[in-house]
Structures are given as structure tokens and as C-alpha cells.
Amino acid sequence: DSFTNEVRRCRLCHDDSVLDSYAFPIIQKTKPRNTDILFVLEAPNHVDTYDPDKGYLTIDTDAEPSISFFLEMYSEVLELDIEDLFITNSVLCLPKKFASLNPITTLQRNHCSAILKKTIDLFQPKVVCSIGFQSLKSIRIIEPHGFVSMKSAVGVKTMWYDRMLFPQYHTSML
């Protein structure tokens, strides 16, 4: 669709040296079947970016441990069908590696917030679940939510941007 094509054409960060050399926008391969709850993860993983059989946001057992745990938590514990989960990242391209991490920069977060806002406006989820502090910081760009730390935010439901915001720890913390 036109929204997917627009997102895939984004190159805002490519001139700013904040991205991995192979980075491009990673989004869900197909439109989610259920858009009531939007999970906003932090950033694409290396496998989704580099594996030629992927190139889109994946939540599967072959992914890094935190993604595998996310899958287990929502599909096995809550008995949700992974195909029904509406998932995006707070930034859509793999950040440039620094030491052993791929930290999200403020510039990248600011650039991607417009797409995140457009995603929320287009699909109108009833609940937004931010996963991790980087995600919570990105959401704050769209509309302030009053949380300054994960400790004060996790598990606290609050009205935000005309919907419910439900912050959660990053699955690697659990």
C-alpha cells in the first residue's frame, strides 16, 4: 500500500552517519489483522536487516533472545496469535554500531517519530504498549506522557494521545 511504500522510501537519516551501513526501514511484512494494540519496540535487530530472507520486522524463535522471549510471552503466556500482533519499532532503521551496541540517537528518534505518529494516526490502536525506555522516549516526542523513568512508568496505564499508553520493560530486562 502507499503507506508502506512511503515508509520504505524514507532516507532521512542516511546522510547523518547515525545508521548502520546496510540500514533501511524495517516494518511488518503484512498489515496486521488486529490493530487494537500497537507494540512499539526499540529498533530493528541485525538479523532482520542483514538476513536476505527477512528484510522486514520479524518476531520468531530464530531471532535474538529478547525477541524470542517477546514471542513466548505474548503467544504462549497470553495466548495471542503472533499474526494478530501489531508491532513496529520506535526507529525503523538499524542504528550504527558503537562498541558492541546499536544505540538509538536523538536525531534518529526525532526523524522516525513522524512515521510512528502517522502509523498511530492511520491505524488508530486503542492501546499503545511501549517496550523499553528508548520506545518510551520516542513516544514522548509525539505527545508528552509525563514518565521520566521506566521504574515510574512500567505497568502504569495512562491516557496518552487519545488512547491508553501501557509502558513495559524491554524483554531483555526480563
Side-chain angles (χ1 to χ4, degrees):
D1 71 347
S2 63
F3 177 69
T4 300
N5 290 332
E6 177 186 337
V7 170
R8 292 198 184 276
R9 285 192 307 269
C10 178
R11 296 293 180 263
L12 287 174
C13 298
H14 283 266
D15 296 333
D16 299 317
S17 301
V18 297
L19 299 180
D20 179 90
S21 60
Y22 192 67
F24 58 92
I26 301 286
I27 58 175
Q28 278 186 265
K29 186 174 186 177
T30 58
K31 182 180 174 183
R33 293 188 301 216
N34 182 338
T35 60
D36 288 344
I37 302 172
L38 171 62
F39 292 91
V40 182
L41 307 178
E42 292 187 344
N45 64 46
H46 190 269
V47 173
D48 287 350
T49 301
Y50 279 89
D51 185 334
D53 293 330
K54 296 209 176 176
Y56 53 90
L57 191 138
T58 61
I59 304 294
D60 58 36
T61 55
D62 296 334
E64 62 187 46
S66 66
I67 295 297
S68 295
F69 181 68
F70 180 90
L71 174 64
E72 179 183 332
M73 187 168 44
Y74 292 100
S75 65
E76 294 176 22
V77 175
L78 298 177
E79 298 179 352
L80 297 172
D81 185 340
I82 196 67
E83 298 297 321
D84 285 336
L85 294 182
F86 183 20
I87 303 166
T88 192
N89 285 300
S90 64
V91 298
L92 300 180
C93 295
L94 182 65
K96 189 174 189 173
K97 190 169 227 153
F98 181 76
S100 63
L101 301 173
N102 296 81
I104 297 170
T105 65
T106 300
L107 180 65
Q108 188 180 18
R109 185 180 300 107
N110 288 339
H111 283 166
C112 284
S113 67
I115 294 173
L116 181 57
K117 182 182 183 302
K118 192 166 187 174
T119 301
I120 292 168
D121 290 345
L122 181 65
F123 292 101
Q124 292 294 315
K126 295 174 185 168
V127 178
V128 174
C129 294
S130 61
I131 309 293
F133 192 55
Q134 296 301 321
S135 174
L136 190 62
K137 287 179 7 183
S138 294
I139 286 171
R140 181 173 49 213
I141 296 169
I142 296 169
E143 182 175 287
H145 47 60
F147 296 118
V148 294
S149 71
M150 288 304 295
K151 186 176 181 179
S152 67
V154 168
V156 177
K157 297 180 289 185
T158 189
M159 286 305 294
W160 168 85
Y161 199 56
D162 294 327
R163 66 206 76 244
M164 188 64 61
L165 173 62
F166 191 68
Q168 299 176 36
Y169 282 116
H170 191 282
T171 49
S172 67
M173 298 295 293
L174 303 172

